[in-house]
């Protein structure tokens, strides 16, 4: 519960920033806060993310302890046409698991693709994203980092939207350091959430 309080405090602290988008989502085992803030008129964004999980697995065995994932980085937003846009860049990710008693660090690269479906009365966004860090940009006992997911988002107004999605986050471990364990599945679950735009 101490880690959950830390996650909530960090989420509120991020929310005090003048952000473009502030998102919050959850499921039965996880809670996440995310912020995306424009830096300049050149479509650069700084992002920050915190994920608290009680549903992680090591080699398909459920963990009894909590896992905290912190991330921050930069993305460049590039519209492709009237309905497609792409963000690409990189971030720093730190994964801390009480079970492993270690903090795993990587520098994944990747991006986000958004498709806009617009009718005469509604707009629906379809979002997909993927990030990956091979061994060369994974440090300590992290050998690689993989993250992907997708979302369907419905805006109620310019300031509020709701979304549902699925995410998968996985860390390949140095099996010589953790008693032969070589895989930490941080997240593999659906979720629902809301985004506030300022």
């Amino acid at each position: 519960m101490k880690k959950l309080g830390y996650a909530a405090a960090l989420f509120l602290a991020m929310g005090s920033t003048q952000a473009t988008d502030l998102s919050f989502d959850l499921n039965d085992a996880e809670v996440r806060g995310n912020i995306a803030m424009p830096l300049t008129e050149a479509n650069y964004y700084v992002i920050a993310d915190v994920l608290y999980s009680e549903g992680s697995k090591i080699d398909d065995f459920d963990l009894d302890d909590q896992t905290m994932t912190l991330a921050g980085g930069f993305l460049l937003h590039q519209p492709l046409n009237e309905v497609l846009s792409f963000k690409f860049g990189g971030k720093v990710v730190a994964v801390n698991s009480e079970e492993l008693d270690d903090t795993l660090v990587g520098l994944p690269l990747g991006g986000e693709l958004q498709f806009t479906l617009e009718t005469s009365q509604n707009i629906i966004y379809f979002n997909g994203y993927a990030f990956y860090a091979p061994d060369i940009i994974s440090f300590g006992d992290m050998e690689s980092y993989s993250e992907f997911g997708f979302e369907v988002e419905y805006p109620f107004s310019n300031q509020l939207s709701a979304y549902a999605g699925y995410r998968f986050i996985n860390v390949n471990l140095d099996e010589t350091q953790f008693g032969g364990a070589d895989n930490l599945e941080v997240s593999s679950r659906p979720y629902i959430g809301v985004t506030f735009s300022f």
Side-chain angles (χ1 to χ4, degrees):
M1 294 303 295
K2 183 183 296 185
K3 287 288 185 69
L4 181 59
Y6 173 75
L10 181 59
F11 175 76
L12 292 174
M14 290 192 307
S16 64
T17 310
Q18 293 296 322
T20 298
D21 293 313
L22 179 62
S23 301
F24 175 79
D25 58 64
L26 51 79
N27 53 42
D28 62 338
E30 301 169 347
V31 60
R32 183 190 73 117
N34 173 274
I35 199 168
M37 181 173 58
L39 287 180
T40 66
E41 295 181 359
N43 292 328
Y44 288 99
Y45 286 80
V46 60
I47 57 172
D49 191 277
V50 55
L51 172 67
Y52 170 85
S53 175
E54 293 182 347
S56 300
K57 298 179 180 181
I58 290 183
D59 290 347
D60 295 325
F61 293 98
D62 293 335
L63 297 183
D64 294 327
D65 296 317
Q66 299 84 17
T67 302
M68 182 78 73
T69 304
L70 304 176
F74 296 92
L75 295 175
L76 173 63
H77 180 229
Q78 180 62 53
L80 301 178
N81 53 44
E82 293 182 354
V83 298
L84 280 177
S85 65
F86 184 58
K87 294 178 182 177
F88 60 94
K91 57 185 179 178
V92 180
V93 173
V95 180
N96 180 269
S97 170
E98 289 187 355
E99 181 76 15
L100 300 178
D101 192 27
D102 194 10
T103 299
L104 310 166
V105 179
L107 300 174
L109 306 175
E112 307 173 4
L113 183 67
Q114 182 178 80
F115 173 75
T116 302
L117 177 63
E118 185 172 358
T119 68
S120 59
Q121 296 181 340
N122 296 293
I123 296 177
I124 300 176
Y125 299 110
F126 297 89
N127 308 311
Y129 60 90
F131 290 88
Y132 179 71
D135 184 55
I136 191 66
I137 49 176
S138 300
F139 305 100
D141 297 321
M142 177 188 289
E143 293 197 339
S144 68
Y145 174 92
S146 303
E147 175 184 355
F148 66 84
F150 58 86
E151 297 173 352
V152 179
E153 179 181 359
Y154 180 80
F156 295 101
S157 68
N158 291 333
Q159 291 76 39
L160 176 65
S161 62
Y163 59 91
Y166 169 85
R167 69 171 150 259
F168 176 82
I169 300 175
N170 188 80
V171 176
N172 285 334
L173 306 169
D174 181 354
E175 61 183 21
T176 65
Q177 300 297 318
F178 303 110
D182 63 359
N183 187 73
L184 171 62
E185 185 180 284
V186 177
S187 177
S188 180
R189 293 174 181 268
Y191 56 87
I192 57 174
V194 294
T195 296
F196 302 95
S197 299
F198 301 93

